Amino acid sequence: MRAAVLGAGTVSVVDRSEPTASGDIVKVRILIGPMCTEFKARHSGAAVDVLGHEAAGVVVDPGDSRRVAVGDRVVVMPQYGCGVCWLCAAGDHIHCPDQRNVLAETGSAYGTATYAQYVLKPDWLLLPVPDDVSLRHAALTCCGLGPTFTAANRTRIGALDTVLVSGCGPVGLGAVVNAAVRGARVIALEVNPFRAKLAETLGAEAIVDPTAPDVVDQIRALTRGRGVDAAIETSGAPVAARLIAEASRRLGRIAIVAWGNDVTFPPLVPLGVEIHGCWHWNHQRYAAGMWTVVRHAGPRLDAMVTHEFPLERVAEAMDLQDSGECGKVFLLPNGAEGWR
């Protein structure tokens, strides 16, 4: 099969051995490989043989699984949780400290990348796609909507709230959708004109430049001096956590989704804010809620996906991600025909 790899600062598509299903480990033909932050690894010049961690596709070999069958449309959850620890039992597999080695279990040499034509995944980490949901929309339930779906749930965002979204990259755009679908008023922080405009299309009422010296004053002016009820930080900017805390009302709720940096807050006791670290989402407990968001989001999800590329053009796709002139980008590892 074909798969994308990184080496010496370049990305290429090479031949890799096709994986084999075994036991509860299922083989999925990837029809959509949403692109996430893998493009950043290209800058380091590191050699990375396994690219991608989210996908949507069709089961081609269920092994011995009784959960899925050939032809089932599924979303491929990230990682390989053990399935037996207390975190996995609760559905929070993303935090599992004991990942399975599915290559060793199946005897496959390759098969854990999603910038590829096929992937292996334990059956319980496959989310069945309802008949009335397109695979294109379903593919957004991983990193497109997933982390900020958890953030919206844990900060209890509702129709009476004003929500601040910090950063309008693909994850932040998902935060705008998650908040807008719940009926909240959304203010977004973004400097890139393309993404600022896209955030407005997805439901943001106001866009504020986070580098403006009076950024907190602007946000407070938009909330009649009160501050926002909830805030979701997706940018990873060093000053972002402090900024959103200062822009929050007393007893507000904050979710940190961005990775990569330490976060710094002002004194928390006088603010009384709740702070949540949010990663992925619990598909075992909250699948019905996610599908409700997807159905209500509808055209917003179509707008959120700005570009699609065949796998062989992955370098071009990464160049686009470098520019910031995009929303969520899809790779189509097995071609454009038949996946919709």
Side-chain angles (χ1 to χ4, degrees), residues 286-337:
Y286 299 116
M290 174 62 85
W291 295 127
T292 296
V293 168
V294 168
R295 292 181 179 106
H296 280 82
R300 286 187 172 99
L301 301 185
D302 295 322
M304 186 175 164
V305 180
T306 58
H307 297 81
E308 300 168 358
F309 292 89
L311 182 63
E312 301 292 336
R313 292 171 58 193
V314 63
E316 183 182 345
M318 285 190 174
D319 289 342
L320 176 66
Q321 288 182 295
D322 279 333
S323 76
E325 300 291 303
C326 60
K328 192 69 172 176
V329 178
F330 282 172
L331 289 178
L332 309 179
N334 282 284
E337 296 302 320

Side-chain angles (χ1 to χ4, degrees), residues 122-284:
D123 59 1
W124 72 282
L125 294 178
L126 298 175
L127 175 67
V129 179
D131 291 342
D132 66 321
V133 174
S134 72
L135 204 64
R136 190 171 193 263
H137 288 179
L140 290 169
T141 62
C142 281
C143 296
L145 293 174
T148 57
F149 175 82
T150 293
N153 284 351
R154 294 181 69 183
T155 57
R156 305 179 302 284
I157 290 172
L160 300 181
D161 290 324
T162 296
V163 178
L164 180 64
V165 174
S166 170
C168 292
V171 174
L173 294 172
V176 173
V177 172
N178 271 303
V181 165
R182 288 165 172 80
R185 178 185 180 221
V186 182
I187 300 169
L189 299 174
E190 181 55 54
V191 296
N192 181 294
F194 180 95
R195 287 179 168 169
K197 181 64 176 177
L198 185 51
E200 287 184 325
T201 299
L202 298 180
E205 177 182 307
I207 310 294
V208 178
D209 182 348
T211 66
D214 63 342
V215 56
V216 173
D217 291 336
Q218 289 187 54
I219 295 167
R220 290 200 170 272
L222 290 166
T223 57
R224 298 186 177 182
R226 173 183 170 92
V228 297
D229 301 292
I232 302 176
E233 160 34 23
T234 74
S235 73
V239 299
R242 172 176 286 275
L243 190 163
I244 64 173
E246 292 174 346
S248 295
R249 66 165 172 83
R250 293 297 187 266
L251 305 179
R253 294 100 65 191
I254 292 173
I256 305 296
V257 176
W259 278 67
N261 294 304
D262 291 340
V263 294
T264 303
F265 290 106
L268 296 177
V269 173
L271 296 178
V273 293
E274 300 174 20
I275 299 173
H276 302 272
C278 302
W279 191 354
H280 191 52
W281 68 287
N282 187 323
H283 72 283
Q284 291 178 279

Side-chain angles (χ1 to χ4, degrees), residues 45 58 77 81 110 214 216 231 247 287:
V58 176
M77 294 289 108
Y110 198 82
D214 63 342
V216 173

Side-chain angles (χ1 to χ4, degrees), residues 28-34 54-58 74-76 129 135-136 138-139:
V28 177
R29 184 173 186 254
I30 299 176
L31 300 183
I32 302 174
E54 50 179 321
V58 176
V74 294
V75 176
V76 179
V129 179
L135 204 64
R136 190 171 193 263

Side-chain angles (χ1 to χ4, degrees), residues 15-39:
D15 290 322
R16 288 289 183 260
S17 58
E18 196 169 308
T20 303
S22 178
D24 69 332
I25 299 172
V26 176
K27 179 179 175 181
V28 177
R29 184 173 186 254
I30 299 176
L31 300 183
I32 302 174
M35 300 185 72
C36 198
T37 57
E38 286 80 10
F39 74 100

